Amino acid sequence: SNISKDIKEDFINAGVAHIIAVSGLNVAYVILIIWGVLTFVPVKQVYKVIITILLLIFYMNLTGSTPSIVRAAIMASVFLLAQVFERRPNPFNIISFAALVILAIDPRQLFDAGFILSFSAILSIVIIYPKLVEWLQKIRWYAGLNNEKIWGKSVKLILGLFFGTLAAQLGTLPITAIMFRKISVVSLIVNIFMIPLSNLTLAAGFIMVIVSLFSSWLASVFASFNIALMYLQLQAVKFSANLD
């Protein structure tokens, strides 16, 4: 709510509006932090899972319970419970269950832009992304990339980000075109460097909060680094959004 209308518009025009939504990546970091703390607590795994789920519910409420964060929290909780019951989680069942829970609480969410985009994006990744990877692996030069070398890992990471973004955008393209009356043609390229940078920003933010419990000076160092990093990202988004 503190992000200005102009900045939001820049993120939409650059095709990276998903970065400013609280969603799966945030939940993943929260789980990692909780799980990291609980490794020092001598309790059974089932209790660790229950504590993690309860804290995820608290985090979900803390961040406003938007459709994207509710979806991510429910999916993460079901995935954790599957580990306890030693069941293999099915992505379609988890996504469907998350949608049913949200709609049972508030059926009006079915017409909410956030709900539609969040679920269409995750479904697109689950359905389309594996097909794109399968096609990519048939290309000889890609199959010959060495995972042991930095170059091979880097190329695969960049292509993974590219095709992951492409999969999500193929599914959400008709929806964004109808809702926002625009299609970003630079978004695929912008996402390649914006996703890693935003992940780094998010990680630095979480580290800053944790470190602040022990050292305000060290927390300020992480904060200064994050401010500089976010400034660069905002300039990159603004430049990309203003391309003709």
Side-chain angles (χ1 to χ4, degrees):
S1 60
N2 289 327
I3 300 173
S4 70
K5 187 180 177 182
D6 291 338
I7 291 176
K8 283 181 183 175
E9 194 71 17
D10 284 344
F11 271 84
I12 291 168
N13 290 344
V16 290
H18 60 92
I19 284 171
I20 52 176
V22 184
S23 58
L25 186 65
N26 304 70
V27 168
Y29 277 123
V30 170
I31 290 172
L32 282 172
I33 292 165
I34 296 167
W35 213 251
V37 173
L38 289 176
T39 53
F40 300 101
V41 182
V43 293
K44 291 181 179 179
Q45 188 177 356
V46 64
Y47 297 123
K48 289 182 180 181
V49 168
I50 291 167
I51 292 166
T52 304
I53 291 171
L54 290 173
L55 289 172
L56 277 181
I57 293 167
F58 169 76
Y59 180 73
M60 183 181 74
N61 289 318
L62 182 73
T63 52
S65 298
T66 56
S68 59
I69 194 69
V70 174
R71 173 190 59 75
I74 292 170
M75 288 178 68
S77 299
V78 174
F79 182 82
L80 287 169
L81 287 170
Q83 310 307 309
V84 173
F85 294 108
E86 297 181 353
R87 304 282 291 186
R88 182 179 291 177
N90 180 295
F92 295 105
N93 286 347
I94 294 176
I95 294 166
S96 303
F97 180 72
L100 283 170
V101 170
I102 294 170
L103 294 174
I105 295 167
D106 183 8
R108 294 172 298 177
Q109 290 291 338
L110 186 61
F111 307 101
D112 179 79
F115 177 90
I116 296 165
L117 285 170
S118 180
F119 279 94
S120 59
I122 196 72
L123 277 170
S124 302
I125 291 168
V126 170
I127 297 167
I128 301 171
Y129 180 68
K131 302 289 183 186
L132 293 173
V133 171
E134 190 180 328
W135 169 79
L136 194 60
Q137 286 172 343
K138 290 178 182 177
I139 300 172
R140 189 178 295 175
W141 71 266
Y142 180 85
L145 287 171
N146 192 342
N147 287 327
E148 301 295 323
K149 293 183 179 179
I150 295 172
W151 167 251
K153 284 181 180 179
S154 301
V155 170
K156 286 195 172 184
L157 180 65
I158 291 167
L159 287 173
L161 282 170
F162 179 82
F163 283 105
T165 305
L166 178 63
Q169 290 198 327
L170 286 172
T172 57
L173 189 64
I175 300 161
T176 51
I178 293 166
M179 288 182 175
F180 303 124
R181 304 289 181 189
K182 58 183 74 172
I183 296 168
S184 176
V185 293
V186 296
S187 60
L188 285 174
I189 304 300
V190 179
N191 271 287
I192 287 174
F193 62 86
M194 279 301 296
I195 290 174
L197 284 174
S198 64
N199 290 356
L200 186 60
T201 299
L202 191 61
F206 272 109
I207 292 167
M208 181 191 70
V209 173
I210 294 165
V211 168
S212 66
L213 299 171
F214 311 102
S215 170
S216 57
W217 177 83
L218 193 56
S220 69
V221 172
F222 278 101
S224 299
F225 167 74
N226 226 0
I227 288 167
L229 193 61
M230 284 192 283
Y231 174 78
L232 289 171
Q233 288 177 77
L234 286 170
Q235 292 304 309
V237 168
K238 190 175 183 179
F239 172 79
S240 304
N242 290 323
L243 289 170
D244 188 4

